[in-house]
Amino acid sequence: MRSIHSLAKQLQKDFPQFEFDQSETFAWSPSTATIHWQSNEADSAAFLLHEVSHALLGHAEYRRDIELIKHERDAWSYAIDQLASHYNTVITDELVQSTLDTYRDWLHSRSTCPHCETTGLQIKKHLYQCLACSQEWKVNEARLCALRRYPIKKIHR
Ligand SMILES: [Zn+2]
Ligand SMILES: [Zn+2]
C-alpha cells in the first residue's frame, strides 16, 4: 500500500484546482477549495479520497442535518466507485458503515427532544421542534466532516 504522503502528492498533481493541506484532521473547506488531511489514521488514504470526493461533488452548504448525512454517503460512494482502484486504495464497507454510524448516532442525539425524548423535526438549520410536546431546542453548527469515528476515544488522545 502506498504512503499517504505520496498519495496526497499525486492527488495534488491530478487535481490542481484544490489545495491539499496536511493538518490535524480530515476536512473539505469549500470556501477556500482546500482539502485538509492528516497521516495518523490507519485508514488515512481512504479518508483522503473521501474528502476529495466531497470536493469533486461540489459539496458545500447544507440546510438540514439529513442532507449532511446524504453528503457523507455520496462521498463514500464516489470514492469507492471512481477513485479507490485508480489510487490503489482499499475502502472497506466496515469503515464506511462505522463512519456513517457516527453520523447517525449524532443525528439521533441531536434530534431527540430534551423534554420527552420523542424524535423531533428540524424546522430551521439550528432549530428542532418536538411534535409531541412542542418543545423547541437549538443545535450547534456541524462542520462538514468534523465528525469522525470514535469521537469519545478522540477526547482522551
Ligand atoms: Zn418533546
Ligand atoms: Zn465526509
Side-chain angles (χ1 to χ4, degrees):
M1 196 130 137
R2 71 195 301 172
S3 86
I4 179 75
H5 292 90
S6 85
L7 175 61
K9 214 170 166 184
Q10 184 61 47
L11 287 164
Q12 179 70 82
K13 226 179 266 173
D14 295 348
F15 302 104
Q17 69 270 41
F18 307 128
E19 179 103 15
F20 288 78
D21 172 45
Q22 188 173 3
S23 57
E24 308 266 284
T25 185
F26 288 96
W28 156 237
S29 307
S31 58
T32 57
T34 302
I35 290 159
H36 303 278
W37 61 277
Q38 49 105 321
S39 55
N40 304 329
E41 297 224 21
D43 299 302
S44 283
F47 281 114
L48 179 51
L49 293 183
H50 171 87
E51 299 308 331
V52 171
S53 300
H54 277 305
L56 291 171
L57 291 169
H59 288 165
E61 270 290 288
Y62 66 97
R63 282 168 303 161
R64 294 288 184 268
D65 293 342
I66 203 87
E67 275 177 64
L68 181 68
I69 293 190
K70 185 181 183 316
H71 283 174
E72 286 311 299
R73 208 183 305 118
D74 291 350
W76 281 120
S77 300
Y78 190 91
I80 289 167
D81 296 343
Q82 310 290 331
L83 304 174
S85 68
H86 181 76
Y87 289 103
N88 251 327
T89 300
V90 176
I91 302 176
T92 63
D93 193 51
E94 198 186 347
L95 175 68
V96 173
Q97 289 313 319
S98 82
T99 307
L100 291 177
D101 278 348
T102 306
Y103 279 88
R104 289 187 199 109
D105 291 348
W106 162 83
L107 179 62
H108 178 75
S109 73
R110 89 199 231 128
S111 62
T112 300
C113 174
H115 183 67
C116 75
E117 299 194 347
T118 302
T119 299
L121 196 68
Q122 191 174 17
I123 53 174
K124 286 184 191 162
K125 185 161 181 184
H126 297 124
L127 196 66
Y128 274 84
Q129 184 173 35
C130 179
L131 298 174
C133 76
S134 300
Q135 170 89 36
E136 291 186 354
W137 64 97
K138 286 190 171 154
V139 290
N140 296 331
E141 181 79 18
R143 267 186 49 224
L144 201 63
C145 287
L147 294 156
R148 280 292 147 226
R149 297 166 304 153
Y150 323 125
I152 293 162
K153 215 168 165 183
K154 219 168 190 175
I155 291 164
H156 298 292
R157 244 180 223 166

